[in-house]
Amino acid sequence: MDRGGSMLVKNPITSDVLLRAESLSKSFGTVPVLFSVSFDLKAGEVHALIGENGAGKSTLMKIMSGFHSPTSGRIFYDGAPVTLPRNGQAEALGIVLIHQELNLAEQMTVTENIFLGREIAKNGILDKSAMHKRVVQILVSVGLDISPDTRISQLSIAQKQMVEIAKAMSRNARVLIMDEPTAVLTEAETRILFAQVDRLRKQGVAIMFVSHKLHEVSEISDRVTILRDGQWIATRPTKGLGLDEMARMMVGRELSDLYPPIAEADIDADVALSVEGLSTQNVHNVSFELRSGEILGFSGLVGSGRTELFEAICGLVPMQNGAITTFGHAGRFATVAQARDAGIVYLTKDRKGKGLLLQEGMQANLTLLALPRFANRLMLNKKQETAALARAVRRFDIRARDPNVLAKDMSGGNQQKLLLAKVMEADPKIVIIDEPTRGIDVGTKQQIYHFIAALAAEGVSIVVISSEMPEVIGISHRVIVMRDGQIAGTLTGDAINETQIVRYAAGLNEEKMHA
Amino acid sequence: MPDTAQTQPASNKPKIDLKMYGPAIALVLLCILGFSLNTAFLSEGNITNLLTRSAFIGIIAVGATFVITAGGIDLSVGSMAAAIAGVMIILMNSLIDVLGTGTLTVVIGAASAIMLGALAGLANGLLTTKGKIEAFIVTLGTMGIFRSLVTYFADGGTLSLSFEIRGTYRPVYYESILGVPIPVWVFIMVAISGWFLMNRTTFGRYCTAIGSNEHVAQYSAINVNKIKTWTYVIQGLCVALATVIYVPRLGSASSSTGVLWELEAIAAVIIGGTVLKGGYGRIGGTILGALILTTIGNILNFTDLVSNYLNGTMQGLIIITAVWLQRADWGSKSKT
């Protein structure tokens, strides 16, 4: 690395293509996720990449930064074909990916992080003053007003992101790839980031920018590429491209018969759950009602507060404000046990981290939530537990090679069915399912949709939180879209379609929220 | 997919069997070794002696099994035993003037020991759960506190139980019922209750769940803090019980009482197959682990093969071997 030279490469602003991908395809195992996609990035431009979840954005981004290798296709850097080294070593070539979950050592200082792995040293002894001096220069150049000796853990998320950018700049980055950099930022922080992005653009850095927030894309980018289902749809100059057109190009897929017929919602059914003015740290003043036998979809971007809302309802996250009424009884739940006893259960989207004990078998997992039902005072009734497992395996079609298999050795689909069976052991009246089909195959997906429909038909109220729009549309009676911790809109009947959801989620339809 | 499904159970089998029966096999091998070196090893007198000596560590280790299974650790047990012994001796000595040297004095002494154990455990538990301090740090701290308390009570010397009351208390350690010494009876009772609690109750299941993954436990409506605190209380009760049967043995307590018991207890738990980072606990294994540790010392006493001073070395080797046997993949699985 050239350490003596100028800190930032100042390329003349040209329209030269710096990094180009030609007919990239990628399969994971037998699953193709990217089909012959081409993409180019010019020096001094911000090129936005948009598409729905699962459209292949992250995969393309990771291939172009060397974290994945393409199954077929070629990459050109400065006009010459290259094979990017794996595992982020493309940084040495000047291609830096800033992950959404930032890669900083929390307990180390800003200086230590920026020079991590390429410290300036004289005869093996760190030259702290030299590094300090360089970091001060870099921080000034990115407009970040913090001390180089601050520990990362003391910074805000936005500041951490700026440190990442500073780190990239100190490595003479020519290509900066950012994965949803604004997802965790406030409006004011986004402003600061954009000012910085603009400065880098003027310095000739090529920036690839992934975002779900269409108005931001429109504001900051020069060109936009749209992906859908792993295919290239279009690359257009941002100027003259309307937000609606972007949304329309992102969507545009027919729903298959993956979804069961959903019985008409009974609008006169009792209100099972009523939430009034609920607020937590990231959720603000949310109110809604859920009726018996209703399937209510919750859509919105990742980080829009959907999970936190329901974790607060179930006593997993502290609630700052708000009233909850279940079947006419008012009362918040301080613990998951209280929520469970009131007939409301939450099925986590983090199957492996929060849902199942991976080192245990199906038996221990199945009865864990409802264990008091299987015990006389303290004493467990093993016969009853065994019977419950046999019943659950039949009811939810859990396929395991033997009954003692550990949860970690089960397929994702079977794990999900086991998790569903687990919460159903508590005999709930209200089931909240967060990302019901994340990472499972289509066959199991279909089964899970049918279980959900069947439960609703029995009168159980169901909330489906999902980032997959076709899923929310396919099985919900009603859809609530959240944005920035608030309800952006409620859709019913024919109004439930992807364009509407995208518009609310991206903040294009403002329902007098800021009035 | 079908391939791995078929090959995995086959390769898992020897590993699981070794986990299950390893400690028992090791104990049998040690007994054979002991017997071959000296036939007196299996004499009734020696076996009784061996079991009695195992009782202290064994009882404490049963408590430690709960703490470790739920993902915690308690380093304070040795010091706690010393502190409880010290307070108990002071209390009984001073009660002689009021209540005489009868059973009542001993009963009150024992009852207060049990109370102290529960309270000390509660303190450890609340500091780790409500105080959100790592168990290692909390119990490292209380270890120092308890140890210095007993030194302070003894004024740097030894606290001795009055000779008047020793006669009353003595049988608790030295008497037998149906030919089995009382400490061994207590050990058996603690072992059975511990096994029952671990394997047949919601409490045991919750301990396993918490040690396995605290998030899953929380999402499964388990009161994580309450259960974890209880494991430390149980640990404290076990320490108190062990102390109650230990005090009449020597009739004294000093700053060297119970030194390194915490390590022996943890060693017994680990040799028995319980996983140190939690989520898998075996009371039966712990009992065997305690017996194995005592047996090693006993064999060294019986033979001149290895110096008795190397007892710690032998125990250390056994601990490392035991864990290696349990963890090693035996080259059967490619998973790293």
Side-chain angles (χ1 to χ4, degrees):
Chain A
M1 270 260 141
D2 168 32
R3 282 183 193 131
S6 78
M7 166 175 66
L8 299 166
V9 171
K10 293 186 179 75
N11 282 349
I13 300 173
T14 61
S15 60
D16 292 343
V17 172
L18 194 55
L19 186 64
R20 182 160 65 91
E22 195 180 272
S23 308
L24 289 184
S25 295
K26 177 73 182 172
S27 303
F28 290 108
T30 56
V31 187
V33 291
L34 217 53
F35 303 89
S36 191
V37 170
S38 296
F39 186 89
D40 64 85
L41 198 53
K42 295 172 187 168
E45 79 160 347
V46 176
H47 192 155
L49 183 62
I50 61 174
E52 287 188 274
N53 290 307
K57 301 184 303 282
S58 335
T59 310
L60 177 59
M61 207 168 56
K62 284 183 176 151
I63 292 174
M64 296 196 65
S65 53
F67 281 86
H68 288 329
S69 50
T71 311
S72 68
R74 291 197 295 173
I75 295 175
F76 297 87
Y77 190 43
D78 270 338
V82 285
T83 306
L84 296 176
R86 299 288 301 277
N87 296 327
Q89 283 155 21
E91 277 191 18
L93 296 173
I95 302 173
V96 178
L97 169 68
I98 297 184
H99 296 263
Q100 201 177 351
E101 56 287 346
L102 305 170
N103 270 328
L104 295 169
E106 288 278 316
Q107 292 307 324
M108 294 171 80
T109 66
V110 172
T111 308
E112 285 166 345
N113 266 284
I114 285 179
F115 280 99
L116 198 60
R118 29 168 236 131
E119 288 79 2
I120 300 177
K122 278 179 194 155
N123 307 322
I125 294 163
L126 293 176
D127 187 349
K128 290 204 172 184
S129 65
M131 289 193 282
H132 192 273
K133 236 187 245 167
R134 287 288 300 279
V135 169
V136 170
Q137 287 175 344
I138 297 166
L139 291 180
V140 168
S141 84
V142 301
L144 185 55
D145 184 23
I146 54 170
S147 156
D149 299 324
T150 319
R151 278 179 203 282
I152 298 297
S153 57
Q154 290 166 346
L155 301 178
S156 72
I157 292 174
Q159 287 173 321
K160 289 180 191 175
Q161 206 158 40
M162 298 305 282
V163 171
E164 280 273 25
I165 291 175
K167 187 173 159 187
M169 287 304 102
S170 78
R171 288 164 198 223
N172 298 334
R174 298 173 65 197
V175 175
L176 194 59
I177 303 175
M178 293 194 277
D179 184 7
E180 292 199 51
T182 61
V184 289
L185 300 188
T186 64
E187 190 59 34
E189 290 168 338
T190 303
R191 291 292 121 223
I192 299 171
L193 176 75
F194 281 3
Q196 180 55 30
V197 167
D198 195 40
R199 197 176 320 181
L200 293 174
R201 165 165 54 193
K202 288 188 175 123
Q203 286 168 357
V205 179
I207 297 162
M208 182 172 170
F209 176 89
V210 173
S211 179
H212 276 110
K213 301 183 182 172
L214 299 184
H215 62 272
E216 292 180 1
V217 167
S218 167
E219 179 188 337
I220 192 76
S221 71
D222 302 302
R223 287 194 295 161
V224 182
T225 289
I226 298 114
L227 293 186
R228 188 203 305 152
D229 295 333
Q231 313 219 13
W232 177 86
I233 300 298
T235 299
R236 300 269 186 85
T238 312
K239 218 171 192 177
L241 184 63
L243 299 181
D244 292 315
E245 208 177 341
M246 285 190 213
R248 215 174 315 118
M249 283 194 283
M250 280 168 63
V251 183
R253 174 181 349 131
E254 296 300 315
L255 297 186
S256 63
D257 54 3
L258 193 55
Y259 306 99
I262 304 287
E264 273 292 297
D266 179 0
I267 50 166
D268 296 325
D270 300 333
V271 173
L273 171 70
S274 158
V275 173
E276 273 287 319
L278 189 152
S279 294
T280 68
Q281 200 179 348
N282 301 307
V283 172
H284 315 292
N285 196 22
V286 166
S287 305
F288 68 92
E289 282 187 348
L290 174 68
R291 295 187 180 273
S292 291
E294 184 183 28
I295 305 175
L296 176 59
F298 263 76
S299 192
L301 301 178
V302 173
S304 57
R306 298 167 301 174
T307 296
E308 186 164 315
L309 166 64
F310 286 99
E311 290 194 339
I313 291 172
C314 294
L316 282 156
V317 162
M319 200 190 291
Q320 290 166 352
N321 259 311
I324 292 172
T325 313
T326 28
F327 301 103
H329 299 285
R332 297 180 185 181
F333 309 115
T335 64
V336 184
Q338 285 175 13
R340 175 198 64 198
D341 296 341
I344 172 164
V345 295
Y346 169 74
L347 199 157
T348 173
K349 63 183 166 190
D350 187 358
R351 209 156 49 219
K352 292 181 174 166
K354 292 169 180 166
L356 295 175
L357 297 172
L358 298 179
Q359 298 294 337
E360 295 286 337
M362 292 194 286
Q363 181 74 81
N365 273 298
L366 178 71
T367 53
L368 196 59
L369 177 66
L371 204 57
R373 285 174 173 250
F374 295 92
N376 183 357
R377 285 171 187 272
L378 259 181
M379 204 173 137
L380 289 173
N381 185 335
K382 295 247 177 185
K383 263 187 199 162
Q384 218 182 314
E385 282 196 87
T386 316
L389 180 59
R391 213 167 45 229
V393 164
R394 250 182 290 124
R395 180 176 175 196
F396 293 98
D397 187 34
I398 304 171
R399 295 174 200 165
R401 56 173 183 269
D402 78 274
N404 295 320
V405 64
L406 298 182
K408 71 176 163 92
D409 294 329
M410 294 168 74
S411 72
N414 280 314
Q415 285 180 343
Q416 189 68 11
K417 289 179 186 172
L418 177 60
L419 196 52
L420 190 57
K422 172 184 167 180
V423 301
M424 292 314 295
E425 282 303 324
D427 205 4
K429 298 283 173 290
I430 300 168
V431 183
I432 298 151
I433 313 182
D434 203 347
E435 303 290 358
T437 63
R438 175 177 283 182
I440 63 182
D441 61 282
V442 172
T444 312
K445 266 188 183 182
Q446 195 170 20
Q447 278 185 312
I448 286 179
Y449 297 142
H450 280 81
F451 291 138
I452 292 173
L455 287 173
E458 287 167 23
V460 176
S461 307
I462 295 174
V463 170
V464 173
I465 305 172
S466 174
S467 299
E468 287 189 39
M469 271 186 258
E471 174 171 289
V472 174
I473 294 166
I475 57 172
S476 307
H477 290 123
R478 195 156 59 98
V479 173
I480 290 179
V481 185
M482 285 189 75
R483 192 172 87 86
D484 293 341
Q486 291 174 316
I487 290 182
T490 305
L491 304 168
T492 47
D494 292 340
I496 305 180
N497 59 58
E498 298 201 23
T499 314
Q500 283 299 317
I501 293 177
V502 170
R503 289 182 62 90
Y504 278 114
L508 303 183
N509 285 15
E510 300 284 330
E511 264 190 356
K512 285 180 257 166
M513 281 177 1
H514 300 301
Chain B
M1 203 53 195
D3 277 348
T4 53
Q6 276 158 10
T7 53
Q8 258 183 2
S11 60
N12 266 349
K13 215 153 209 167
K15 200 171 135 200
I16 285 174
D17 278 354
L18 201 73
K19 255 190 179 170
M20 287 296 287
Y21 304 114
I25 295 167
L27 185 59
V28 170
L29 288 177
L30 274 175
C31 289
I32 293 170
L33 178 73
F35 184 72
S36 61
L37 291 171
N38 188 333
T39 49
F41 176 80
L42 286 184
S43 66
E44 199 193 323
N46 190 48
I47 288 180
T48 311
N49 173 35
L50 210 154
L51 288 173
T52 314
R53 281 168 169 270
S54 305
F56 310 121
I57 294 302
I59 291 168
I60 293 173
V62 168
T65 310
F66 286 98
V67 173
I68 292 174
T69 301
I73 190 88
D74 191 342
L75 300 175
S76 71
V77 294
S79 310
M80 194 193 290
I84 292 173
V87 174
M88 194 181 166
I89 288 171
I90 294 170
L91 184 70
M92 285 194 291
N93 283 348
S94 53
L95 277 179
I96 293 173
D97 298 336
V98 191
L99 299 170
T101 60
T103 326
L104 186 60
T105 307
V106 174
V107 168
I108 291 178
S112 58
I114 301 289
M115 291 250 300
L116 281 173
L119 283 175
L122 187 66
N124 279 338
L126 291 178
L127 283 169
T128 32
T129 55
K130 299 282 178 199
K132 294 186 172 36
I133 309 168
E134 283 96 338
F136 189 95
I137 303 297
V138 168
T139 58
L140 192 65
T142 51
M143 172 169 101
I145 295 169
F146 295 146
R147 177 67 60 199
S148 86
L149 280 181
V150 73
T151 315
Y152 174 73
F153 292 147
D155 207 8
T158 301
L159 285 163
S160 293
L161 193 58
S162 289
F163 279 95
E164 296 103 327
I165 195 110
R166 282 198 191 190
T168 322
Y169 198 176
R170 211 183 124 82
V172 172
Y173 183 78
Y174 291 99
E175 281 294 304
S176 296
I177 300 172
L178 301 173
V180 176
I182 289 175
V184 178
W185 278 117
V186 176
F187 187 20
I188 292 170
M189 304 296 259
V190 168
I192 292 174
S193 346
W195 184 88
F196 185 80
L197 196 57
M198 183 66 91
N199 297 295
R200 287 288 179 269
T201 66
T202 52
F203 177 77
R205 185 71 63 78
Y206 288 161
C207 286
T208 312
I210 291 169
S212 197
N213 185 331
E214 230 177 281
H215 286 298
V216 174
Q218 194 203 357
Y219 278 72
S220 301
I222 297 170
N223 189 334
V224 174
N225 283 351
K226 185 173 136 192
I227 300 290
K228 278 171 106 176
T229 305
W230 266 107
T231 62
Y232 289 96
V233 173
I234 289 171
Q235 173 73 88
L237 289 172
C238 287
V239 171
L241 212 50
T243 310
V244 168
I245 54 172
Y246 177 78
V247 167
R249 181 180 167 205
L250 296 176
S252 67
S254 72
S255 59
S256 62
T257 302
V259 166
L260 291 187
W261 280 11
E262 59 280 342
L263 293 189
E264 286 201 41
I266 293 167
V269 173
I270 301 308
I271 291 172
T274 295
V275 176
L276 184 58
K277 65 177 196 283
Y280 181 70
R282 294 183 60 203
I283 296 291
T286 298
I287 307 299
L288 292 172
L291 291 174
I292 288 171
L293 283 177
T294 322
T295 307
I296 297 166
N298 186 264
I299 289 175
L300 295 184
N301 271 339
F302 256 71
T303 63
D304 301 327
L305 211 60
V306 181
S307 162
N308 196 21
Y309 294 135
L310 287 175
N311 187 3
T313 306
M314 298 313 289
Q315 288 188 350
L317 287 174
I318 294 279
I319 294 166
I320 293 168
T321 313
V323 174
W324 179 71
L325 286 177
Q326 286 160 18
R327 306 289 158 78
D329 262 351
W330 298 96
S332 58
K333 270 174 89 179
S334 55
K335 203 176 169 187
T336 46

